[in-house]
Amino acid sequence: MNNHLENPTQFFNSLNGSLSGGQIVHSKTCIADMAGYYHNESARSSLDQAKIVYRVAAHFAEKPGTTGGLFFGISTVFPGLVGQEYFMTKGHFHAIRNRSEYYWCIQGEGVLIFMDEDGNCYAEKLQQGSLHYIPRKVAHRLANTGNEPLVVGACWPSDAGHDYTTITQLGFSIRLLNIDGQPQLQKVR
Ligand code: F6R
Ligand code: ZN
């Protein structure tokens, strides 16, 4: 037996959601990367293409695709609008459809939009401390409806993968718009 106590190598700040230490992978998605995701493409193309819409910091303790492991990530969606549509993530189904996920809101205000494989959508408000279960076979997207960054934690199976193609082809059947300063869901089909 090795009776030496190992020091932690990764840290999660539960107040602001920041992840630090080894094995943390950071990614960012800019306006330029969001072509085809917003309703108003001409509004999107007229914005600063380098502006960051969201960042993700994730701890990948396993090789992606490994069955039986978990991944842990923090998504930060910045406040903003593309036309009337709130800054949001691309949204995805898991490539292996039979994989679920937890989200929890650490900071900010927003909405989590869900869509099943038949295109039925529903949405839940995100507020500090709220916990959200994303069932298997359900696509999910975050939108920031507030004036500060929306910070959301996530934990998902390491073999889940991401299917963005279905979303680029079909889109979500509801969109979250800012109408007279208030978030409103609008059916698109
Ligand atoms: C992982 C997951 C989140 C998202 C992140 C970015 O399964 O749901 O970590 O990947 O919020 O959103 P997307 O992947 O839709 O660009
Ligand atoms: Zn996911």
Side-chain angles (χ1 to χ4, degrees):
M1 180 185 125
N2 181 351
N3 59 4
H4 172 72
L5 283 176
E6 301 285 346
N7 284 320
T9 52
Q10 282 91 219
F11 294 88
F12 166 60
N13 180 328
S14 59
L15 294 179
N16 64 15
S18 71
L19 279 181
S20 55
Q23 288 184 300
I24 307 294
V25 176
H26 297 267
S27 65
K28 59 177 196 260
T29 301
C30 302
I31 288 287
D33 304 313
M34 295 296 288
Y37 285 94
Y38 288 100
H39 176 63
N40 188 340
E41 173 56 23
S42 69
R44 189 206 63 82
S45 58
S46 66
L47 292 176
D48 173 5
Q49 297 299 297
K51 192 171 170 63
I52 297 173
V53 181
Y54 59 99
R55 288 182 186 283
V56 178
H59 180 240
F60 298 119
E62 307 272 2
K63 207 167 140 243
T66 305
T67 299
L70 292 171
F71 288 152
F72 181 93
I74 305 294
S75 304
T76 302
V77 185
F78 294 98
L81 289 171
V82 175
Q84 288 179 298
E85 203 168 1
Y86 293 99
F87 272 21
M88 63 185 186
T89 59
K90 290 178 174 175
H92 58 269
F93 285 99
H94 289 148
I96 299 185
R97 289 287 192 274
N98 188 21
R99 295 293 184 269
S100 47
E101 181 164 6
Y102 271 112
Y103 275 9
W104 61 97
C105 182
I106 296 163
Q107 207 175 81
E109 282 171 36
V111 173
L112 172 56
I113 303 169
F114 303 81
M115 182 173 72
D116 70 17
E117 288 185 299
D118 297 323
N120 301 308
C121 279
Y122 60 102
E124 292 176 357
K125 278 189 190 174
L126 295 152
Q127 60 190 68
Q128 193 174 45
S130 63
L131 177 68
H132 307 265
Y133 183 65
I134 300 160
R136 66 194 79 181
K137 303 182 186 174
V138 173
H140 37 290
R141 163 180 283 167
L142 292 168
N144 185 343
T145 57
N147 300 317
E148 56 169 325
L150 170 69
V151 184
V152 174
C155 185
W156 69 100
S158 51
D159 62 354
H162 296 91
D163 167 13
Y164 297 102
T165 313
T166 308
I167 299 304
T168 49
Q169 287 167 351
L170 285 181
F172 280 65
S173 61
I174 55 174
R175 292 192 174 273
L176 187 67
L177 304 181
N178 176 318
I179 311 279
D180 300 327
Q182 291 304 316
Q184 246 179 59
L185 290 169
Q186 209 162 74
K187 233 176 149 17
V188 287
R189 63 170 188 275

